[in-house]
Amino acid sequence: MRRRKGSRPQVQPKAQAGTTQVGPAQAGSAQAGSAQAGAVPAGRALERPLGLVVMGVSGSGKTTLTQALAAACLCPVLEGDAFHSPANVAKMQAGHPLTDADRWPWLDRLGAALGAAAQRDGMAVAACSALKRSYRERLAAASAAPLCFVLLETDAGELARRMTTRSGHYMPTSLLGSQLATLEPPGADECAVTLDAAQQIDALVAQVDAWLCGRRTRPDASR
């Protein structure tokens, strides 16, 4: 199937209201697969609806991969940061980490929007830190749709470098340590894959596609 040209819808928030490891060893074959015939990746043959969440700490490349996946699949894309309340944004800008109480309404808004987009279009992709298992469960409950997660990981030095070189983002580098301490990698019973964020974006997209298609053909694909 050829990748069709066209813009993907950006879903905006309403007024404020077993984990698989894929690393550099697989990057070469995965990257080659992404270029084959311009194939449309990431779950075209999967059961629908499906919400796909690209997760990880700040600076891991969530937004970049989310946008690439949405463009490849021609499905809606949601930027989790856009669903934060002004109070949350101000708190993070001041260098204070969010509490669970701060996060619950944010996760509810994002989850509901992700579920609605997936129900409407069959599939939707969101960028969200989703650091704890309880946060992922909250997203799933709010979405009322099957969710799968893609965790982007790389070393702390690279994350800090990315955060200091990007512009227009409210998250200060000083909060990276608290995010890393909070992170709970998905368990073997969660629908999740872990990718090396240092890889090229085409390789990451191809690996997500291969993982989703592999899940569809496995007897235990319900996890």
Side-chain angles (χ1 to χ4, degrees):
M1 181 181 294
R2 298 293 298 180
R3 182 179 300 173
R4 303 194 304 272
K5 296 182 179 179
S7 60
R8 63 195 182 283
Q10 174 79 45
V11 178
Q12 297 293 339
K14 295 180 179 179
Q16 175 56 31
T19 303
T20 304
Q21 292 282 347
V22 180
Q26 292 80 26
S29 59
Q31 190 165 10
S34 71
Q36 184 177 4
V40 178
R44 279 285 181 190
L46 284 175
E47 64 277 7
R48 303 298 180 95
L50 174 68
L52 187 63
V53 179
V54 180
M55 60 170 287
V57 302
S58 189
S60 58
K62 298 186 296 294
T63 296
T64 301
L65 179 56
T66 299
Q67 292 176 347
L69 289 169
C73 297
L74 298 179
C75 69
V77 57
L78 295 84
E79 174 52 62
D81 288 342
F83 289 78
H84 273 300
S85 67
N88 279 5
V89 172
K91 189 172 184 177
M92 288 183 284
Q93 282 179 325
H96 303 298
L98 298 180
T99 65
D100 286 357
D102 296 324
R103 288 187 172 97
W104 298 138
W106 165 59
L107 293 167
D108 289 342
R109 287 191 295 271
L110 176 58
L114 177 59
Q119 293 285 352
R120 183 184 63 247
D121 295 287
M123 182 175 181
V125 187
C128 176
S129 54
L131 299 176
K132 290 182 179 181
R133 184 184 184 114
S134 60
Y135 301 164
R136 298 187 288 275
E137 292 173 344
R138 187 82 174 215
L139 280 171
S143 71
L147 297 188
C148 289
F149 295 86
V150 177
L151 171 60
L152 292 176
E153 283 191 332
T154 191
D155 64 86
E158 173 62 13
L159 292 167
R161 185 195 67 78
R162 293 181 181 187
M163 292 179 71
T164 55
T165 56
R166 67 184 180 182
S167 59
H169 199 282
Y170 54 76
M171 177 70 74
T173 309
S174 61
L175 289 182
L176 177 59
S178 68
Q179 284 205 324
L180 289 170
T182 301
L183 176 63
E184 297 174 0
D189 60 333
E190 294 184 74
C191 179
V193 64
T194 299
L195 303 182
D196 180 356
Q199 297 176 82
Q200 294 296 313
I201 192 67
D202 285 349
L204 292 171
V205 170
Q207 289 169 23
V208 173
D209 178 35
W211 171 63
L212 288 175
C213 290
R215 286 189 67 260
R216 186 177 68 87
T217 58
R218 289 204 314 270
D220 65 343
S222 61
R223 290 197 313 186

